[in-house]
Amino acid sequence: MALWTRYLLVFWWPLVVGMGAVYGLRESRSRTAELLTTTPQPAWRRAALPAGAMALALASGFGLLILVGGVQVALGATTYLPLGWLPISLVAALALVAGAVFGMGVARAVPSVLTPPALTVFLLLTSLLLRQANDGALPWSIPPNRFALLSPATAEPREMLLTLSNSVHLGQTLWLLGLLATGLALLSAATRRARLLAVAPVLAGAALALLNLPGAPRDAYVVDKAAATVVCDGPVCVTQANRSRLPELAPRGTEALRVLHNTLGHPRKLSGNVVLIDFDDPLIAHATGTELTRLLVAQGLAPNCAPRTPWEGGGQVDIPAQSIAASWALGDHQLEPLQQPDTDARPQAARPQRASANAEVAWKKLTALPPAEQRSRIAQAHAAALSCKNALAALTGETSP
């Protein structure tokens, strides 16, 4: 939840900086700048009041968003509620406040109607370009990770066991505090010399941040060891983050392992004697009861090589072979196809229908063979799947590509 809100800062942060710049133009628009400089109130106090109001509004709004998300998580099925989200969200709130105050200061120093859109567009394009360079999508070879991490926006979260490292929190905090200090200094600066000196905090913050921020993405996103701790019930294990799934998964997993042992004649081995499942797989995500047992048996007999997560797509080529293997192992008299996920990444509707027809043909070929040959074909399909080859072709006796 916290990382998703940080991901959205790729759009929110430039807009907030631009919004602060619009607010910072109020004195020049009302033509009261010279009048206010003649008042006995210190410049820093005049700057603190609007900056504090903007900071309070942004922090309250973002805090309300986090509160709503936190309540949804707490009321959900999960029983794992760590405090690792707190620094992620605190840095996000600091980024919004610092960005808005910085925008106010820049607009006061450069009172032009072009300042707000220029700041917004510049920050948005810079953030997007650095992110693409960090992903290797741009044709230049520079180490951009440290500079990309100056943006408070994170990458799209795709793995619940990864979190930001402490060096990222520290580096971004130093940079954002420098940005905030520069914004306040620009707001209270009355001379050109003061405006030039106001740049010092943001430069110092950036320098300190670059010394602390990791140079490689693998050092920015680290495994949350507490969330990744293994919790077991007999032969079925999940991570601590997925512990709430264990009561449903344990009996079904034990039954699936028994079926796999009877089918294959030996424990299934894939870099160790485990059946790997992905809770982001649309087939498994909401499966319960006998349907979960069927899916676990299918995954054990013909594991899919390509991921079936919504953002990856693919992996559905394995579904016909998994359907046949599970139906055979569970003693079904007719083929029981696994329900295919309805995702945007799915090919055209004709392809699943063609795959279903191919599965029916393969099922009839398999069940027409003697029992010993059937078991041999299932073993061949199992071996083909472990080698990321065509398990369906192995079931029909064809040569896999």
Side-chain angles (χ1 to χ4, degrees):
M1 183 273 295
L3 285 174
W4 269 115
T5 56
R6 285 287 296 271
Y7 165 71
L8 293 175
L9 288 184
V10 71
F11 308 107
W12 291 350
W13 197 56
L15 290 176
V16 165
V17 175
M19 180 181 68
V22 170
Y23 190 61
L25 291 176
R26 72 195 190 288
E27 292 183 6
S28 63
R29 289 199 308 266
S30 59
R31 300 179 181 178
T32 59
E34 294 183 3
L35 176 63
L36 291 174
T37 57
T38 62
T39 60
Q41 188 178 23
W44 67 265
R45 186 173 297 176
R46 287 192 294 106
L49 184 61
M54 178 69 75
L56 180 62
L58 288 172
S60 300
F62 185 74
L64 181 61
L65 173 68
I66 296 298
L67 178 63
V68 172
V71 170
Q72 291 180 342
V73 172
L75 295 179
T78 184
T79 58
Y80 180 69
L81 299 172
L83 294 177
W85 62 271
L86 193 56
I88 299 175
S89 296
L90 288 177
V91 171
L94 176 61
L96 293 174
V97 171
V101 174
F102 177 74
M104 294 170 63
V106 172
R108 192 175 187 279
V110 187
S112 169
V113 293
L114 298 178
T115 299
L119 275 176
T120 302
V121 173
F122 173 77
L123 289 176
L124 181 61
L125 290 179
T126 301
S127 179
L128 293 175
L129 286 174
L130 284 174
R131 188 169 302 281
Q132 291 180 11
N134 202 40
D135 294 337
L138 296 180
W140 59 63
S141 56
I142 59 174
N145 189 66
R146 287 189 174 92
F147 295 97
L149 288 174
L150 293 178
S151 170
T154 61
E156 180 181 356
R158 296 185 176 182
E159 173 53 64
M160 66 182 301
L161 297 181
L162 291 183
T163 187
L164 291 173
S165 64
N166 292 331
S167 59
V168 173
H169 296 320
L170 177 60
Q172 291 182 338
T173 299
L174 292 172
W175 148 248
L176 292 171
L177 287 176
L179 196 69
L180 177 62
T182 290
L184 290 173
L186 288 174
L187 272 177
S188 58
T191 63
R192 178 175 297 181
R193 182 173 181 272
R195 294 189 184 98
L196 291 175
L197 291 176
V199 183
V202 70
L203 294 179
L208 292 174
L210 292 174
L211 291 175
N212 286 276
L213 292 172
R218 67 177 57 190
D219 297 323
Y221 294 89
V222 296
V223 175
D224 186 339
K225 294 182 179 180
T229 302
V230 176
V231 180
C232 298
D233 184 350
V236 180
C237 299
V238 296
T239 60
Q240 180 70 32
N242 285 311
R243 187 169 188 168
S244 59
R245 297 177 179 266
L246 191 57
E248 171 70 20
L249 184 66
R252 299 298 172 181
T254 302
E255 174 64 15
L257 291 174
R258 183 190 64 79
V259 174
L260 291 171
H261 177 75
N262 294 337
T263 301
L264 298 175
H266 58 82
R268 185 224 187 216
K269 295 181 179 180
L270 177 61
S271 299
N273 52 348
V274 295
V275 176
L276 298 177
I277 62 171
D278 184 359
F279 289 123
D280 288 325
D281 186 335
L283 271 74
I284 295 175
H286 304 291
T288 58
T290 57
E291 181 62 24
L292 180 57
T293 301
R294 178 176 294 274
L295 287 168
L296 294 175
V297 171
Q299 186 66 17
L301 288 175
N304 55 296
C305 285
R308 283 198 289 251
T309 53
W311 47 81
E312 295 286 354
Q316 299 184 47
V317 68
D318 302 297
I319 292 179
Q322 290 184 336
S323 300
I324 295 172
S327 295
W328 185 89
L330 294 172
D332 297 332
H333 297 292
Q334 60 182 8
L335 177 63
E336 294 289 341
L338 300 178
Q339 186 177 359
Q340 300 192 28
D342 185 14
T343 63
D344 294 336
R346 234 174 73 174
Q348 298 178 354
R351 183 170 295 180
Q353 294 176 359
R354 185 166 60 251
S356 178
N358 292 339
E360 286 288 350
V361 172
W363 170 258
K364 292 178 180 178
K365 288 183 178 180
L366 177 67
T367 54
L369 297 172
E373 182 62 22
Q374 293 181 28
R375 180 178 292 273
S376 175
R377 291 288 178 85
I378 292 293
Q380 292 174 23
H382 173 68
L386 292 179
S387 302
C388 291
K389 296 181 180 179
N390 193 330
L392 186 62
L395 286 170
T396 57
E398 302 172 5
T399 303
S400 59

